[in-house]
Amino acid sequence: MLTHTRLSSLFVLDQDEALDFYVGVLGMEVRTDADLGFMRWLTVGVPGDPDREILLERPGAPSMDDATAGQVRDLLTRGAAGGWIALATDDAQAMYDDLVAKGVDVTDEISVKGYGTDFGIRDPFGNRLRIGQMAG
């Protein structure tokens, strides 16, 4: 029986730039940064949530050939790669204000919905992120 989601993956074009965004801008922490020889295994996570990680993966070997990696990079830069992550916060308005001040690409302005308050942003590579404060 499954117990929880442990690892998700997003494609990024530059792992150092991804670290700047996910750690420096969003406030996540590095969980693993290992050179495996055939790839760099780079994961980040939300402080205080040690059971979940996001793999910031460059398109390419070992999971795909060069031609496929090129197609993925093209889709990613157009915001069409299909990856997205939903993140939770205790104060959506403060988080929104902070990210706007930092110049983050906001794709959906903050608004109150039936399930809570949330907004959408895009990382430097085109991945969509939703950040929300759930109601109740």
Side-chain angles (χ1 to χ4, degrees), residues 40-104:
R40 180 180 179 188
W41 185 266
L42 177 62
T43 66
V44 295
V46 173
D49 187 9
D51 295 332
R52 292 173 184 84
E53 298 176 68
I54 301 168
L55 173 64
L56 303 174
E57 181 179 7
R58 287 184 61 239
S63 63
M64 61 188 73
D65 60 35
D66 288 342
T68 303
Q71 292 172 333
V72 170
R73 284 190 296 273
D74 180 55
L75 288 170
L76 181 61
T77 57
R78 291 190 282 137
W84 70 278
I85 299 286
L87 301 165
T89 182
D90 291 331
D91 189 339
Q93 186 66 56
M95 185 83 184
Y96 175 82
D97 293 342
D98 179 60
L99 294 177
V100 167
K102 291 177 177 175
V104 170

Short mmCIF file of all heavy atoms in Angstrom, two decimals, residues 40-104:
data_model
loop_
_atom_site.label_atom_id
_atom_site.label_comp_id
_atom_site.label_asym_id
_atom_site.label_seq_id
_atom_site.Cartn_x
_atom_site.Cartn_y
_atom_site.Cartn_z
N ARG A 40 23.70 14.95 -12.54
CA ARG A 40 23.70 15.59 -11.22
C ARG A 40 22.33 15.36 -10.60
O ARG A 40 21.31 15.75 -11.15
CB ARG A 40 23.97 17.09 -11.39
CG ARG A 40 24.00 17.87 -10.08
CD ARG A 40 24.26 19.33 -10.37
NE ARG A 40 24.28 20.16 -9.17
CZ ARG A 40 24.33 21.49 -9.19
NH1 ARG A 40 24.38 22.14 -10.35
NH2 ARG A 40 24.34 22.16 -8.07
N TRP A 41 22.31 14.71 -9.44
CA TRP A 41 21.08 14.46 -8.71
C TRP A 41 20.90 15.61 -7.73
O TRP A 41 21.59 15.70 -6.73
CB TRP A 41 21.16 13.12 -7.98
CG TRP A 41 19.88 12.74 -7.31
CD1 TRP A 41 19.53 12.98 -6.01
CD2 TRP A 41 18.78 12.05 -7.90
NE1 TRP A 41 18.29 12.49 -5.76
CE2 TRP A 41 17.79 11.91 -6.90
CE3 TRP A 41 18.53 11.56 -9.17
CZ2 TRP A 41 16.58 11.28 -7.13
CZ3 TRP A 41 17.31 10.93 -9.40
CH2 TRP A 41 16.36 10.80 -8.39
N LEU A 42 19.97 16.51 -8.07
CA LEU A 42 19.78 17.73 -7.29
C LEU A 42 18.33 17.79 -6.82
O LEU A 42 17.41 17.89 -7.64
CB LEU A 42 20.11 18.96 -8.15
CG LEU A 42 19.89 20.32 -7.51
CD1 LEU A 42 20.78 20.51 -6.27
CD2 LEU A 42 20.16 21.41 -8.53
N THR A 43 18.13 17.70 -5.51
CA THR A 43 16.78 17.79 -4.97
C THR A 43 16.68 18.92 -3.96
O THR A 43 17.65 19.26 -3.28
CB THR A 43 16.31 16.48 -4.30
OG1 THR A 43 17.11 16.22 -3.14
CG2 THR A 43 16.40 15.31 -5.26
N VAL A 44 15.49 19.51 -3.90
CA VAL A 44 15.17 20.55 -2.94
C VAL A 44 13.87 20.18 -2.25
O VAL A 44 13.12 19.34 -2.72
CB VAL A 44 15.03 21.94 -3.61
CG1 VAL A 44 16.35 22.40 -4.21
CG2 VAL A 44 13.92 21.95 -4.65
N GLY A 45 13.61 20.84 -1.13
CA GLY A 45 12.37 20.60 -0.41
C GLY A 45 12.02 21.78 0.47
O GLY A 45 12.84 22.67 0.71
N VAL A 46 10.81 21.76 0.94
CA VAL A 46 10.32 22.81 1.83
C VAL A 46 10.87 22.55 3.23
O VAL A 46 10.77 21.42 3.72
CB VAL A 46 8.77 22.81 1.85
CG1 VAL A 46 8.22 23.78 2.88
CG2 VAL A 46 8.23 23.13 0.46
N PRO A 47 11.46 23.57 3.87
CA PRO A 47 11.95 23.37 5.24
C PRO A 47 10.81 22.85 6.14
O PRO A 47 9.67 23.30 6.05
CB PRO A 47 12.38 24.77 5.68
CG PRO A 47 12.72 25.47 4.39
CD PRO A 47 11.71 24.93 3.40
N GLY A 48 11.13 21.88 6.99
CA GLY A 48 10.14 21.31 7.89
C GLY A 48 9.31 20.18 7.29
O GLY A 48 8.47 19.61 7.96
N ASP A 49 9.53 19.87 6.02
CA ASP A 49 8.80 18.78 5.35
C ASP A 49 9.83 17.82 4.75
O ASP A 49 10.02 17.78 3.53
CB ASP A 49 7.88 19.35 4.27
CG ASP A 49 6.97 18.31 3.66
OD1 ASP A 49 6.91 17.17 4.17
OD2 ASP A 49 6.31 18.62 2.65
N PRO A 50 10.49 17.03 5.61
CA PRO A 50 11.61 16.20 5.13
C PRO A 50 11.21 15.01 4.26
O PRO A 50 12.07 14.40 3.64
CB PRO A 50 12.25 15.72 6.43
CG PRO A 50 11.12 15.68 7.41
CD PRO A 50 10.25 16.86 7.04
N ASP A 51 9.93 14.69 4.19
CA ASP A 51 9.51 13.50 3.46
C ASP A 51 9.23 13.73 1.99
O ASP A 51 8.94 12.79 1.26
CB ASP A 51 8.26 12.91 4.12
CG ASP A 51 8.54 12.39 5.52
OD1 ASP A 51 9.70 12.00 5.78
OD2 ASP A 51 7.62 12.40 6.35
N ARG A 52 9.27 14.98 1.54
CA ARG A 52 8.97 15.28 0.14
C ARG A 52 10.09 16.09 -0.49
O ARG A 52 10.57 17.04 0.12
CB ARG A 52 7.65 16.03 0.03
CG ARG A 52 6.47 15.17 0.43
CD ARG A 52 5.18 15.97 0.49
NE ARG A 52 4.08 15.17 0.95
CZ ARG A 52 3.79 14.94 2.23
NH1 ARG A 52 4.53 15.45 3.17
NH2 ARG A 52 2.76 14.20 2.55
N GLU A 53 10.46 15.71 -1.71
CA GLU A 53 11.53 16.39 -2.43
C GLU A 53 11.12 16.63 -3.87
O GLU A 53 10.27 15.93 -4.41
CB GLU A 53 12.81 15.53 -2.44
CG GLU A 53 13.38 15.23 -1.09
CD GLU A 53 14.57 14.31 -1.18
OE1 GLU A 53 15.62 14.74 -1.70
OE2 GLU A 53 14.45 13.15 -0.75
N ILE A 54 11.76 17.61 -4.49
CA ILE A 54 11.60 17.88 -5.91
C ILE A 54 12.96 17.72 -6.57
O ILE A 54 13.92 18.37 -6.17
CB ILE A 54 11.07 19.31 -6.15
CG1 ILE A 54 9.73 19.52 -5.46
CG2 ILE A 54 10.95 19.58 -7.65
CD1 ILE A 54 9.29 20.98 -5.41
N LEU A 55 13.03 16.84 -7.55
CA LEU A 55 14.24 16.65 -8.34
C LEU A 55 14.27 17.72 -9.42
O LEU A 55 13.32 17.84 -10.20
CB LEU A 55 14.26 15.26 -8.98
CG LEU A 55 15.39 14.97 -9.96
CD1 LEU A 55 16.75 15.00 -9.27
CD2 LEU A 55 15.15 13.62 -10.66
N LEU A 56 15.31 18.52 -9.46
CA LEU A 56 15.51 19.54 -10.49
C LEU A 56 16.43 18.92 -11.53
O LEU A 56 17.65 18.92 -11.39
CB LEU A 56 16.10 20.81 -9.87
CG LEU A 56 15.27 21.42 -8.73
CD1 LEU A 56 16.01 22.58 -8.08
CD2 LEU A 56 13.89 21.84 -9.22
N GLU A 57 15.83 18.38 -12.57
CA GLU A 57 16.52 17.51 -13.52
C GLU A 57 16.72 18.19 -14.87
O GLU A 57 15.79 18.76 -15.43
CB GLU A 57 15.68 16.24 -13.70
CG GLU A 57 16.26 15.23 -14.63
CD GLU A 57 15.38 13.99 -14.75
OE1 GLU A 57 14.26 13.97 -14.22
OE2 GLU A 57 15.83 13.04 -15.41
N ARG A 58 17.94 18.10 -15.39
CA ARG A 58 18.20 18.58 -16.76
C ARG A 58 17.72 17.53 -17.74
O ARG A 58 17.99 16.34 -17.56
CB ARG A 58 19.70 18.82 -16.96
CG ARG A 58 20.20 20.06 -16.23
CD ARG A 58 21.68 20.33 -16.50
NE ARG A 58 21.90 20.56 -17.92
CZ ARG A 58 22.72 19.83 -18.69
NH1 ARG A 58 23.40 18.85 -18.19
NH2 ARG A 58 22.85 20.12 -19.96
N PRO A 59 17.02 17.93 -18.79
CA PRO A 59 16.60 16.97 -19.81
C PRO A 59 17.83 16.34 -20.47
O PRO A 59 18.75 17.06 -20.87
CB PRO A 59 15.83 17.81 -20.83
CG PRO A 59 15.46 19.06 -20.11
CD PRO A 59 16.53 19.29 -19.09
N GLY A 60 17.87 15.04 -20.55
CA GLY A 60 18.98 14.36 -21.17
C GLY A 60 19.20 12.99 -20.58
O GLY A 60 18.34 12.45 -19.89
N ALA A 61 20.38 12.45 -20.86
CA ALA A 61 20.73 11.12 -20.35
C ALA A 61 20.72 11.13 -18.82
O ALA A 61 20.99 12.16 -18.23
CB ALA A 61 22.12 10.74 -20.88
N PRO A 62 20.36 10.05 -18.20
CA PRO A 62 20.11 8.74 -18.77
C PRO A 62 18.65 8.49 -19.16
O PRO A 62 18.35 7.44 -19.72
CB PRO A 62 20.51 7.80 -17.64
CG PRO A 62 20.10 8.54 -16.41
CD PRO A 62 20.39 10.00 -16.73
N SER A 63 17.76 9.45 -18.91
CA SER A 63 16.34 9.15 -19.14
C SER A 63 15.88 9.39 -20.58
O SER A 63 14.80 8.93 -20.94
CB SER A 63 15.47 9.97 -18.18
OG SER A 63 15.62 11.36 -18.42
N MET A 64 16.68 10.10 -21.39
CA MET A 64 16.26 10.34 -22.77
C MET A 64 17.47 10.60 -23.66
O MET A 64 18.52 11.02 -23.19
CB MET A 64 15.28 11.52 -22.84
CG MET A 64 15.85 12.84 -22.36
SD MET A 64 14.64 14.16 -22.22
CE MET A 64 13.73 13.68 -20.78
N ASP A 65 17.28 10.36 -24.96
CA ASP A 65 18.36 10.61 -25.92
C ASP A 65 18.45 12.10 -26.23
O ASP A 65 17.59 12.89 -25.82
CB ASP A 65 18.17 9.78 -27.19
CG ASP A 65 16.87 10.09 -27.92
OD1 ASP A 65 16.43 11.26 -27.94
OD2 ASP A 65 16.29 9.15 -28.50
N ASP A 66 19.48 12.50 -26.98
CA ASP A 66 19.72 13.92 -27.26
C ASP A 66 18.57 14.56 -28.04
O ASP A 66 18.20 15.70 -27.76
CB ASP A 66 21.03 14.09 -28.05
CG ASP A 66 22.25 13.84 -27.19
OD1 ASP A 66 22.14 13.87 -25.94
OD2 ASP A 66 23.33 13.62 -27.77
N ALA A 67 18.00 13.86 -28.99
CA ALA A 67 16.91 14.43 -29.79
C ALA A 67 15.68 14.70 -28.92
O ALA A 67 15.06 15.76 -29.01
CB ALA A 67 16.56 13.50 -30.95
N THR A 68 15.35 13.74 -28.08
CA THR A 68 14.21 13.91 -27.19
C THR A 68 14.48 15.03 -26.19
O THR A 68 13.60 15.85 -25.90
CB THR A 68 13.90 12.59 -26.46
OG1 THR A 68 13.66 11.58 -27.43
CG2 THR A 68 12.69 12.73 -25.55
N ALA A 69 15.69 15.10 -25.66
CA ALA A 69 16.05 16.15 -24.72
C ALA A 69 15.88 17.53 -25.36
O ALA A 69 15.41 18.47 -24.72
CB ALA A 69 17.49 15.97 -24.23
N GLY A 70 16.24 17.66 -26.62
CA GLY A 70 16.05 18.92 -27.33
C GLY A 70 14.58 19.30 -27.44
O GLY A 70 14.21 20.46 -27.27
N GLN A 71 13.74 18.31 -27.70
CA GLN A 71 12.30 18.57 -27.77
C GLN A 71 11.75 18.99 -26.41
O GLN A 71 10.94 19.91 -26.32
CB GLN A 71 11.56 17.32 -28.27
CG GLN A 71 11.85 16.99 -29.71
CD GLN A 71 11.26 15.65 -30.12
OE1 GLN A 71 11.08 14.76 -29.30
NE2 GLN A 71 10.97 15.52 -31.41
N VAL A 72 12.21 18.34 -25.36
CA VAL A 72 11.77 18.68 -24.00
C VAL A 72 12.21 20.10 -23.64
O VAL A 72 11.44 20.88 -23.09
CB VAL A 72 12.27 17.65 -22.97
CG1 VAL A 72 12.02 18.12 -21.55
CG2 VAL A 72 11.61 16.30 -23.21
N ARG A 73 13.45 20.45 -23.98
CA ARG A 73 13.94 21.81 -23.70
C ARG A 73 13.09 22.84 -24.43
O ARG A 73 12.74 23.89 -23.87
CB ARG A 73 15.42 21.93 -24.09
CG ARG A 73 16.36 21.28 -23.09
CD ARG A 73 17.82 21.62 -23.38
NE ARG A 73 18.28 21.11 -24.66
CZ ARG A 73 18.79 19.89 -24.85
NH1 ARG A 73 18.92 19.06 -23.84
NH2 ARG A 73 19.18 19.51 -26.05
N ASP A 74 12.73 22.56 -25.67
CA ASP A 74 11.90 23.47 -26.45
C ASP A 74 10.52 23.63 -25.81
O ASP A 74 10.02 24.75 -25.65
CB ASP A 74 11.77 22.97 -27.88
CG ASP A 74 10.90 23.87 -28.74
OD1 ASP A 74 11.21 25.08 -28.82
OD2 ASP A 74 9.91 23.37 -29.31
N LEU A 75 9.90 22.52 -25.44
CA LEU A 75 8.59 22.59 -24.79
C LEU A 75 8.67 23.32 -23.46
O LEU A 75 7.79 24.12 -23.11
CB LEU A 75 8.03 21.18 -24.57
CG LEU A 75 7.56 20.45 -25.82
CD1 LEU A 75 7.28 18.99 -25.50
CD2 LEU A 75 6.34 21.13 -26.41
N LEU A 76 9.72 23.06 -22.71
CA LEU A 76 9.90 23.69 -21.41
C LEU A 76 9.97 25.21 -21.52
O LEU A 76 9.28 25.94 -20.80
CB LEU A 76 11.17 23.14 -20.74
CG LEU A 76 11.52 23.66 -19.36
CD1 LEU A 76 10.42 23.34 -18.37
CD2 LEU A 76 12.84 23.05 -18.90
N THR A 77 10.76 25.71 -22.45
CA THR A 77 10.93 27.16 -22.58
C THR A 77 9.65 27.84 -23.06
O THR A 77 9.49 29.04 -22.87
CB THR A 77 12.09 27.51 -23.53
OG1 THR A 77 11.85 26.91 -24.80
CG2 THR A 77 13.42 27.04 -22.96
N ARG A 78 8.74 27.07 -23.64
CA ARG A 78 7.46 27.63 -24.07
C ARG A 78 6.38 27.45 -23.01
O ARG A 78 5.22 27.79 -23.22
CB ARG A 78 7.01 27.00 -25.39
CG ARG A 78 7.91 27.43 -26.55
CD ARG A 78 7.37 27.02 -27.89
NE ARG A 78 7.63 25.61 -28.13
CZ ARG A 78 6.74 24.75 -28.65
NH1 ARG A 78 5.55 25.16 -28.98
NH2 ARG A 78 7.05 23.50 -28.84
N GLY A 79 6.76 26.87 -21.85
CA GLY A 79 5.79 26.66 -20.78
C GLY A 79 4.84 25.52 -21.06
O GLY A 79 3.75 25.45 -20.48
N ALA A 80 5.24 24.60 -21.93
CA ALA A 80 4.34 23.53 -22.35
C ALA A 80 4.86 22.14 -21.99
O ALA A 80 4.39 21.15 -22.53
CB ALA A 80 4.13 23.62 -23.86
N ALA A 81 5.80 22.05 -21.06
CA ALA A 81 6.38 20.75 -20.72
C ALA A 81 5.46 19.92 -19.84
O ALA A 81 5.68 18.72 -19.68
CB ALA A 81 7.74 20.92 -20.07
N GLY A 82 4.45 20.52 -19.25
CA GLY A 82 3.48 19.76 -18.48
C GLY A 82 3.78 19.65 -17.00
O GLY A 82 2.94 19.21 -16.24
N GLY A 83 4.97 20.02 -16.56
CA GLY A 83 5.29 19.91 -15.15
C GLY A 83 4.74 21.08 -14.35
O GLY A 83 4.70 22.21 -14.83
N TRP A 84 4.26 20.78 -13.15
CA TRP A 84 3.85 21.84 -12.23
C TRP A 84 3.83 21.28 -10.83
O TRP A 84 3.72 20.08 -10.62
CB TRP A 84 2.52 22.47 -12.63
CG TRP A 84 1.31 21.59 -12.43
CD1 TRP A 84 0.87 20.62 -13.28
CD2 TRP A 84 0.41 21.60 -11.33
NE1 TRP A 84 -0.24 20.03 -12.77
CE2 TRP A 84 -0.56 20.61 -11.57
CE3 TRP A 84 0.32 22.35 -10.17
CZ2 TRP A 84 -1.59 20.35 -10.69
CZ3 TRP A 84 -0.71 22.10 -9.28
CH2 TRP A 84 -1.66 21.12 -9.54
N ILE A 85 3.95 22.17 -9.87
CA ILE A 85 3.97 21.80 -8.46
C ILE A 85 3.03 22.76 -7.72
O ILE A 85 3.01 23.96 -8.01
CB ILE A 85 5.40 21.93 -7.87
CG1 ILE A 85 6.39 21.00 -8.58
CG2 ILE A 85 5.40 21.71 -6.37
CD1 ILE A 85 6.25 19.54 -8.24
N ALA A 86 2.28 22.25 -6.76
CA ALA A 86 1.46 23.07 -5.87
C ALA A 86 2.14 23.11 -4.51
O ALA A 86 2.47 22.07 -3.95
CB ALA A 86 0.05 22.51 -5.76
N LEU A 87 2.34 24.32 -4.01
CA LEU A 87 3.00 24.53 -2.72
C LEU A 87 2.04 25.22 -1.77
O LEU A 87 1.19 26.01 -2.20
CB LEU A 87 4.26 25.38 -2.91
CG LEU A 87 5.31 24.80 -3.86
CD1 LEU A 87 6.31 25.87 -4.27
CD2 LEU A 87 6.00 23.62 -3.22
N ALA A 88 2.19 24.96 -0.47
CA ALA A 88 1.32 25.57 0.53
C ALA A 88 2.08 26.59 1.36
O ALA A 88 3.29 26.46 1.57
CB ALA A 88 0.75 24.48 1.44
N THR A 89 1.36 27.60 1.81
CA THR A 89 1.91 28.63 2.68
C THR A 89 0.87 28.99 3.73
O THR A 89 -0.33 28.79 3.53
CB THR A 89 2.32 29.89 1.88
OG1 THR A 89 2.89 30.85 2.76
CG2 THR A 89 1.14 30.50 1.15
N ASP A 90 1.34 29.54 4.85
CA ASP A 90 0.42 30.00 5.90
C ASP A 90 -0.08 31.41 5.64
O ASP A 90 -1.04 31.85 6.27
CB ASP A 90 1.11 29.96 7.27
CG ASP A 90 1.37 28.54 7.74
OD1 ASP A 90 0.61 27.63 7.36
OD2 ASP A 90 2.34 28.34 8.49
N ASP A 91 0.59 32.14 4.74
CA ASP A 91 0.20 33.53 4.45
C ASP A 91 0.40 33.81 2.96
O ASP A 91 1.46 34.27 2.54
CB ASP A 91 1.01 34.49 5.31
CG ASP A 91 0.52 35.93 5.24
OD1 ASP A 91 -0.17 36.29 4.26
OD2 ASP A 91 0.84 36.71 6.16
N ALA A 92 -0.63 33.51 2.18
CA ALA A 92 -0.53 33.66 0.72
C ALA A 92 -0.26 35.10 0.31
O ALA A 92 0.53 35.35 -0.60
CB ALA A 92 -1.80 33.14 0.05
N GLN A 93 -0.89 36.05 0.96
CA GLN A 93 -0.71 37.45 0.58
C GLN A 93 0.73 37.90 0.81
O GLN A 93 1.33 38.54 -0.05
CB GLN A 93 -1.68 38.37 1.35
CG GLN A 93 -1.63 39.81 0.88
CD GLN A 93 -2.13 39.99 -0.55
OE1 GLN A 93 -3.24 39.60 -0.88
NE2 GLN A 93 -1.30 40.56 -1.40
N ALA A 94 1.31 37.55 1.95
CA ALA A 94 2.70 37.93 2.24
C ALA A 94 3.66 37.26 1.25
O ALA A 94 4.60 37.88 0.77
CB ALA A 94 3.07 37.57 3.67
N MET A 95 3.40 36.00 0.94
CA MET A 95 4.25 35.28 -0.01
C MET A 95 4.14 35.91 -1.39
O MET A 95 5.15 36.12 -2.07
CB MET A 95 3.84 33.81 -0.05
CG MET A 95 4.71 32.94 -0.90
SD MET A 95 6.17 32.43 0.02
CE MET A 95 7.06 31.53 -1.21
N TYR A 96 2.94 36.22 -1.81
CA TYR A 96 2.71 36.86 -3.09
C TYR A 96 3.45 38.20 -3.16
O TYR A 96 4.17 38.47 -4.12
CB TYR A 96 1.20 37.06 -3.31
CG TYR A 96 0.86 37.81 -4.56
CD1 TYR A 96 0.81 37.16 -5.79
CD2 TYR A 96 0.60 39.19 -4.52
CE1 TYR A 96 0.50 37.85 -6.95
CE2 TYR A 96 0.28 39.88 -5.68
CZ TYR A 96 0.24 39.21 -6.88
OH TYR A 96 -0.07 39.90 -8.03
N ASP A 97 3.27 39.03 -2.13
CA ASP A 97 3.93 40.34 -2.11
C ASP A 97 5.44 40.21 -2.18
O ASP A 97 6.11 40.97 -2.90
CB ASP A 97 3.53 41.12 -0.85
CG ASP A 97 2.06 41.51 -0.83
OD1 ASP A 97 1.40 41.51 -1.89
OD2 ASP A 97 1.55 41.82 0.28
N ASP A 98 6.00 39.24 -1.46
CA ASP A 98 7.45 39.01 -1.46
C ASP A 98 7.94 38.60 -2.84
O ASP A 98 8.93 39.12 -3.34
CB ASP A 98 7.80 37.93 -0.43
CG ASP A 98 9.28 37.62 -0.41
OD1 ASP A 98 10.09 38.54 -0.14
OD2 ASP A 98 9.65 36.45 -0.67
N LEU A 99 7.22 37.68 -3.49
CA LEU A 99 7.65 37.21 -4.80
C LEU A 99 7.50 38.27 -5.88
O LEU A 99 8.34 38.39 -6.77
CB LEU A 99 6.90 35.92 -5.17
CG LEU A 99 7.22 34.72 -4.27
CD1 LEU A 99 6.38 33.53 -4.67
CD2 LEU A 99 8.70 34.40 -4.27
N VAL A 100 6.45 39.07 -5.78
CA VAL A 100 6.29 40.19 -6.73
C VAL A 100 7.45 41.17 -6.56
O VAL A 100 8.04 41.62 -7.55
CB VAL A 100 4.92 40.89 -6.53
CG1 VAL A 100 4.87 42.22 -7.27
CG2 VAL A 100 3.79 39.98 -7.01
N ALA A 101 7.80 41.48 -5.32
CA ALA A 101 8.92 42.40 -5.05
C ALA A 101 10.24 41.84 -5.59
O ALA A 101 11.12 42.61 -5.99
CB ALA A 101 9.03 42.67 -3.55
N LYS A 102 10.36 40.52 -5.63
CA LYS A 102 11.58 39.87 -6.15
C LYS A 102 11.56 39.74 -7.66
O LYS A 102 12.51 39.25 -8.25
CB LYS A 102 11.76 38.50 -5.51
CG LYS A 102 12.11 38.55 -4.03
CD LYS A 102 12.21 37.15 -3.45
CE LYS A 102 12.63 37.21 -1.99
NZ LYS A 102 12.61 35.88 -1.36
N GLY A 103 10.46 40.15 -8.31
CA GLY A 103 10.38 40.12 -9.76
C GLY A 103 10.02 38.77 -10.36
O GLY A 103 10.25 38.54 -11.55
N VAL A 104 9.42 37.90 -9.57
CA VAL A 104 9.03 36.58 -10.08
C VAL A 104 7.91 36.76 -11.11
O VAL A 104 7.06 37.64 -11.00
CB VAL A 104 8.57 35.69 -8.90
CG1 VAL A 104 7.93 34.41 -9.39
CG2 VAL A 104 9.76 35.36 -8.01
#
